[in-house]
Amino acid sequence: MMRRALAVTALTSTLALAAAAAAQDSPDPIKLTLHDWTGQLITTTIMGEVLKEAGNNVEYVQADYLAQFAGLKTGDLDVAMEIWETTGREAMDEATATGQVENLGETGMQAIEEWWYPSYMTDKCPGLPAWEALLEDECAEAFSTPETAPDGRYLGGPVTWGGFDEERIEALDLPFQVIHAGTDAALFAELESAYQRKAPILLWIYAPHWAPIKYEGEWIEFPPYEPACYTDPSWGVNPDMTHDCGKPRGPIWKVAWSGVKDKWPGAYAAIQNFTLSNDEMGEMIAKVDLEGGTVDAVVAEWMDANKDRWSGWIGK
């Protein structure tokens, strides 16, 4: 009987060890995508450094914001830490519907991405922030530049960000032209220059970010977004075209290749646990963009100050 008991105990222990080994994360690198704006670099680097603390092998891969879903579907890319409700929801929903990509929940940050103007432009364009004010010739001229006159100039984000600005201009018959900034840094450098000179500017501003905190201004109030606005031409003020509304607002999401939960179960749980606030992110972006800090230095400072918090994400 003793031998049988010992044999059963040994077998139970062996099975337990095998189950534990099966649940361990793969030694293969988890590929986290990097994009072209400071906040996303910070979010992704925090997650990557936390996963390293858990013993994971991490690889950062530069990828296009929307085109990355092709790689996430195949497992060539593993995790994307910022999919904005404002611009990425359609691509995310298409990818998750295939079953090859999984939504891992909200990051805790709430997204706004919309047309924004500095308050000093109000006198030159009466009626703001209502979008109808942009229809007036005097308003378009107030925001015009030699390259767009007599149309107004709207400074959009990099083309890879999406956002349907051209479609909106056409649907609402706005006398404006979209000029895309080449980079996130160029977008805000132009805002800084214009603001100091009190020069006309209408541009894409997003939150969480330091810009709407540092500068006094307003977002344009377009017709409120509803999903039908992007799919049903009969919805909205233009019965013949879609996109005659503002951009959606809402959470910033985390997504992953559907194989992550089986290949890296510990990392999978940690990514689900990850959360940051808008205020935290705005402060960190400001340290990089305004104070000259590096992403790595700002992330290291956050890690030092929040050890108990991120340790909970990885169950330590």
Side-chain angles (χ1 to χ4, degrees), residues 115-155 175-179 190-191 194 198-203 218-220:
W115 293 25
W116 184 97
Y117 64 93
S119 294
Y120 60 76
M121 290 300 298
T122 303
D123 292 338
K124 300 178 182 180
C125 182
L128 289 175
W131 72 271
E132 293 92 341
L134 301 177
L135 294 168
E136 302 298 327
D137 289 342
E138 64 176 328
C139 193
E141 291 173 4
F143 284 109
S144 70
T145 62
E147 65 180 325
T148 66
D151 291 340
R153 177 180 185 263
Y154 167 71
L155 180 63
F176 278 77
Q177 296 181 32
V178 180
I179 305 298
E190 185 158 344
L191 171 59
K198 297 294 186 286
I201 190 166
L202 178 66
L203 76 164
E218 299 285 345
W219 276 288
I220 299 292

Side-chain angles (χ1 to χ4, degrees), residues 47-177:
M47 190 72 258
E49 295 308 301
V50 170
L51 293 178
K52 289 179 184 178
E53 290 287 342
N56 292 107
N57 187 7
V58 172
E59 180 181 345
Y60 297 112
V61 180
Q62 196 71 39
D64 180 272
Y65 175 52
L66 295 177
Q68 70 179 327
F69 282 101
L72 289 166
K73 290 177 185 176
T74 61
D76 292 321
L77 301 172
D78 298 312
V79 178
M81 288 300 298
E82 287 196 16
I83 303 300
W84 290 47
E85 180 79 11
T86 47
T87 52
R89 185 60 191 250
E90 186 176 1
M92 179 177 70
D93 286 349
E94 186 280 327
T96 56
T98 67
Q100 298 167 302
V101 175
E102 184 176 355
N103 184 336
L104 299 191
E106 300 181 17
T107 61
M109 296 179 285
Q110 294 293 310
I112 301 174
E113 292 187 90
E114 197 53 272
W115 293 25
W116 184 97
Y117 64 93
S119 294
Y120 60 76
M121 290 300 298
T122 303
D123 292 338
K124 300 178 182 180
C125 182
L128 289 175
W131 72 271
E132 293 92 341
L134 301 177
L135 294 168
E136 302 298 327
D137 289 342
E138 64 176 328
C139 193
E141 291 173 4
F143 284 109
S144 70
T145 62
E147 65 180 325
T148 66
D151 291 340
R153 177 180 185 263
Y154 167 71
L155 180 63
V159 174
T160 57
W161 292 6
F164 303 109
D165 288 317
E166 286 86 354
E167 290 86 346
R168 177 191 289 175
I169 284 175
E170 185 177 5
L172 294 177
D173 197 25
L174 298 175
F176 278 77
Q177 296 181 32

